Amino acid sequence: MNRRDFRRILGLIVVLAVLPVCRTTPEGNMVDLALINTKIWTGDAGRPWAEAVAVRGEKIQAVGTTAEVRRLSGPGTELVDLGGALVLPGFIDSHTHFLTGGFALKSIQLHDAKSREEFVARIAAKARELGPGRWILDGNWDEEQFNPPELPRRDWIDAVTPDNPVCVSRIDLHTVLANTAALTLAGITRHTPAPAGGEIVKDPATGEPTGLLKDTASDLVLAKVPEPTFADKLEAAGASLRHAAEHGVTSVNDMADASSFEVFQELARQGRLTTRVHVYVPVTEVETLARLRMKSPFGGAYLQLAGLKGFVDGSLGSATAYFFEPYADAPDKSGLLHGQMFPEGVMERRILAADRAGLQVAIHAIGDRANSLILDIFEKAAAANGPRDRRWRVEHAQHLRPADIARFGRLGVVASVQPYHLIDDGRWAERKIGPERAKTTYAFESLRRAGAALAFGSDWTVAPLDPVMGIYAAVTRRTLDGKNPGGWVPGEKVSVEEAVRAYTVSGAWTQFAEGAKGTVAPGKLADLVVLDRDIFAVPPETIGETKVLMTVFDGKVIHGKGR
Ligand SMILES: [Zn+2]
C-alpha cells in the first residue's frame, strides 16, 4: 500500500466513522415545527406545564423549555414564537353530527334576519348564488326577531325565487315556510287536507296556503328534496373540517348513519381529513358489525368506527325526555321512550350482543328515568358478560337522580355531556322540571366527584362547535338570558382545568385513544390548539371571548399563525 492509497483508505475510514455521527448532529435531528415562548397545559401528570413543544412528522418529539426546544431547531424548522400564548392539546368534541353540520354551514342563515326586507333579501341572494333549480333549505328563521313580529308568507319570496324551491325552517324546526315552487312540486293546493299531526296554514280570507307548514305537513315538501350527491357531501364535509380547524377541534365523534363513512373515507384517501373522525353508527347495526368481528375502535389514526349509538328517549324541549315524575308544566306527561326501546327488551339484547362482540355503545338518555333505565341495562350486561374494559357512554346524561350519579362512577360509565346545552336550556328548563329536579341537572361536578369520566362535546349542529364556549358554559353556568350571573345550580360548576381535561384527556380516553393523543407529551400525535389568552387566569366570565390563534393537526398548522 503506497502513501496515496493509505490516505484514501484513511479518508474512507474517517467518512465511515463520521457518517453515523452526522445522523445525530443537531441538523439531522431537526424538528419540523417548534412552538416556543408559550404556556402549555399538557394534561400530562408527569409534567403538567411547559414552555415549548417540538414536533417532528405527525408526532410530538419534545416538550420542555424554550431553550431546550430551540436546540432541536435548525434551518428547516418552522419556529413559531407565540409570545406567551396558551397551548392546549387539540380539542376533542365527543358528540357532533359532523357531516350534517357541514350542510347547515353552507345553507342560508336566517336566524338573525331582523326584518321582512332582510329575510327576503337573504333568500333572493341565496337564489342568485345557487342558480335555478336548486333548493333553499334550513335557515332557522325566527319571526320574533322581526319588528313587529310577523309570520312570513310565501308571497314575500315568490317574486325572488321563481325557479328555486324554498323550504326554510323556523328556529324550533317545527314549522317551515315553503314558496309556491315547492308547494307545486309537493302538489299542495287549497284543497289538500292536512296530514295527521300536521297543519297546512291557510289564509282565512282566501283559503289559499300561506306557505307555512307545521310538523308532519312539512314532510310533504321535504319528501321532494333530492338526496344530496356524493360531491355535495364531500363539499359539506370540507366545510365541517374548516369550521373545526377554526375552533381548534382536532378530533370529533360523529353520531351518524353509516353513509358518512363513505365521505370521510374518501377524504382520508385524498389526505384531506384535518380532524380525526370517530363514527358511531346506529345500534340497530349491532348484528352486522358483530358478524364481521369488528371491535371498537376499528380503523386508523384518521378515521375509525368507534361503536354504536342508540336512544332511550327524546328531548326536554319537546317534552319527550323520559322522567319518573310528570313535567311541572304538563302534569299529564312524563316523556316518551324512543322507538329503539321497542319491542320491550330489545335494547338490552342489543347491548349485551354489542358487549360480547367488544363494541362500545353510546346511548342517548336525557330524562332521569331514561338514564336510570340505561344504567340498569349496563349493570345487567356487565354481570352477564363479566369484567371488561368497556368505557360505555351515556350521551347527554342530562337529568339524574342523586343515586344514579353515584352509579355512573361505580359502573365506570362515561358521561358524554354538552355544556352549552345547559346555558341554553337553563333559561327555561326549571319551568319544565321544577326546582327539585333542577338541582341534579347537568350535574357535571357531582358526576366527576362520583368518579365518572366526563367527556365534553357540543352536539353540533344543535349547539355551536366551539369548545371555548363549552368551557365557558361549564365553568360559569351563566345562562344565555343573563339571568344567572352567579351560575345556574352553581354547585355544579367545574374548574377550568377540569373543563379542559373533559375536552382533551378524557375525550381521548373515551375513544380508547389515550395512548395516542389527548395530552402534549413526547410520542403523542401533534394535535394542538393555541389560544389568544390564558383561560386559566382570566376572569371566567370573559373566557367566551377567547380566540383560537392557531390549530396544529397531525404536526401541520391547519389554521392561523404560521400557515
Ligand atoms: Zn346529538
Side-chain angles (χ1 to χ4, degrees):
M1 187 188 295
N2 66 28
R3 231 179 133 133
R4 202 142 107 240
D5 285 343
F6 176 75
R7 284 230 296 271
R8 204 178 283 154
I9 288 167
L10 189 68
L12 190 62
I13 289 168
V14 168
V15 167
L16 287 173
V18 165
L19 261 182
V21 178
C22 280
R23 274 191 236 122
T24 57
T25 58
E27 220 160 295
N29 232 353
M30 263 172 10
V31 294
D32 299 316
L33 174 68
L35 308 183
I36 58 167
N37 288 324
T38 77
K39 179 180 175 186
I40 306 175
W41 181 87
T42 67
D44 177 5
R47 178 174 206 156
W49 295 94
E51 199 180 55
V53 54
V55 173
R56 189 170 191 178
E58 74 280 11
K59 288 196 174 159
I60 293 168
Q61 168 121 339
V63 179
T65 64
T66 290
E68 284 164 352
V69 165
R70 263 190 195 285
R71 281 200 288 277
L72 301 171
S73 310
T77 303
E78 184 179 356
L79 189 73
V80 187
D81 187 328
L82 287 171
L86 183 72
V87 174
L88 303 173
F91 291 126
I92 298 170
D93 189 319
S94 286
H95 187 124
T96 71
H97 303 274
F98 201 59
L99 183 57
T100 318
F103 282 104
L105 283 176
K106 291 170 23 170
S107 295
I108 189 165
Q109 310 293 330
L110 295 169
H111 63 277
D112 58 348
K114 293 272 190 281
S115 65
R116 171 175 170 170
E117 291 70 32
E118 202 175 339
F119 179 87
V120 174
R122 288 193 195 181
I123 290 177
K126 197 69 182 177
R128 281 195 300 274
E129 178 199 323
L130 292 175
R134 300 276 301 273
W135 281 78
I136 299 174
L137 299 165
D138 305 305
N140 283 354
W141 52 268
D142 182 0
E143 79 283 0
E144 298 290 340
Q145 301 263 5
F146 303 160
N147 192 12
E150 89 183 290
L151 281 163
R153 304 168 50 97
R154 66 179 157 127
D155 50 26
W156 290 12
I157 56 171
D158 275 344
V160 296
T161 55
D163 304 314
N164 296 82
V166 177
C167 184
V168 285
S169 42
R170 192 182 180 278
I171 190 141
D172 65 351
L173 308 178
H174 285 274
T175 302
V176 298
L177 174 70
N179 68 350
T180 298
L183 291 182
T184 306
L185 281 171
I188 296 175
T189 67
R190 58 181 298 146
H191 305 296
T192 309
E199 184 187 350
I200 299 168
V201 179
K202 290 177 182 160
D203 187 305
T206 64
E208 291 293 332
T210 67
L212 291 175
L213 306 169
K214 294 190 178 180
D215 288 305
T216 55
S218 58
D219 298 337
L220 300 173
V221 169
L222 290 171
K224 301 293 170 191
V225 179
E227 165 81 8
T229 64
F230 190 60
D232 288 341
K233 289 181 185 176
L234 283 176
E235 197 185 321
S240 298
L241 291 169
R242 277 191 298 282
H243 194 59
E246 283 164 18
H247 289 288
V249 175
T250 54
S251 289
V252 293
N253 290 337
D254 185 23
M255 304 300 171
D257 57 44
S259 75
S260 82
F261 259 116
E262 193 185 11
V263 178
F264 293 119
Q265 203 175 14
E266 176 60 19
L267 290 170
R269 199 186 61 76
Q270 295 176 11
R272 286 171 56 203
L273 269 190
T274 52
T275 193
R276 305 182 196 283
V277 181
H278 302 254
V279 180
Y280 285 83
V281 299
V283 71
T284 47
E285 302 294 337
V286 60
E287 280 162 28
T288 313
L289 300 189
R291 220 173 15 247
L292 292 170
R293 302 288 195 270
M294 273 193 183
K295 295 189 194 314
S296 294
F298 172 81
Y302 300 103
L303 178 62
Q304 289 187 344
L305 172 86
L308 296 156
K309 159 89 188 293
F311 289 87
V312 178
D313 64 346
S315 77
L316 187 68
S318 58
T320 48
Y322 193 53
F323 284 94
F324 284 104
E325 301 293 331
Y327 281 85
D329 61 350
D332 56 329
K333 283 189 196 149
S334 53
L336 291 173
L337 286 172
H338 190 273
Q340 285 181 358
M341 295 296 286
F342 301 100
E344 211 184 318
V346 69
M347 181 64 89
E348 187 176 329
R349 285 195 294 280
R350 284 179 175 148
I351 288 176
L352 269 160
D355 189 49
R356 270 196 305 273
L359 290 161
Q360 188 191 36
V361 293
I363 309 292
H364 164 122
I366 291 191
D368 56 11
R369 194 169 185 183
N371 277 278
S372 196
L373 266 172
I374 192 62
L375 292 172
D376 288 346
I377 293 177
F378 283 169
E379 212 156 4
K380 281 190 204 164
N385 291 344
R388 182 177 297 170
D389 185 5
R390 300 182 158 91
R391 309 187 194 186
W392 277 326
R393 309 160 52 104
V394 174
E395 301 304 313
H396 312 303
Q398 215 159 285
H399 311 285
L400 303 172
R401 293 188 306 181
D404 288 327
I405 293 175
R407 285 167 86 202
F408 267 86
R410 210 167 56 242
L411 293 166
V413 171
V414 175
S416 170
V417 297
Q418 299 79 37
Y420 189 90
H421 287 343
L422 107 87
I423 60 170
D424 194 351
D425 295 9
R427 291 175 296 159
W428 45 261
E430 217 155 314
R431 194 180 73 224
K432 289 197 170 289
I433 59 172
E436 194 52 38
R437 283 180 289 193
K439 287 181 194 161
T440 50
T441 282
Y442 299 98
F444 305 157
E445 179 62 7
S446 296
L447 281 162
R448 195 186 68 77
R449 289 201 181 163
L454 208 55
F456 281 174
S458 61
D459 205 3
W460 187 54
T461 60
V462 183
L465 181 78
D466 182 355
V468 159
M469 275 309 289
I471 293 168
Y472 163 81
V475 170
T476 68
R477 295 180 73 98
R478 288 159 72 114
T479 51
L480 294 176
D481 57 8
K483 290 191 178 151
N484 295 276
W488 181 52
V489 198
E492 294 294 344
K493 290 180 193 174
V494 300
S495 67
V496 174
E497 180 159 26
E498 290 307 334
V500 171
R501 192 182 301 283
Y503 266 117
T504 56
V505 181
S506 303
W509 185 83
T510 64
Q511 294 172 334
F512 293 89
E514 69 275 21
K517 63 182 185 185
T519 62
V520 183
K524 291 284 176 76
L525 290 166
D527 295 352
L528 305 162
V529 55
V530 184
L531 302 180
D532 73 341
R533 71 198 69 191
D534 181 359
I535 58 171
F536 293 86
V538 298
E541 60 276 13
T542 67
I543 288 174
E545 296 153 27
T546 306
K547 298 274 174 290
V548 171
L549 288 180
M550 181 170 157
T551 306
V552 177
F553 171 77
D554 218 35
K556 290 172 203 72
V557 178
I558 57 161
H559 168 71
K561 214 169 177 171
R563 212 182 160 209

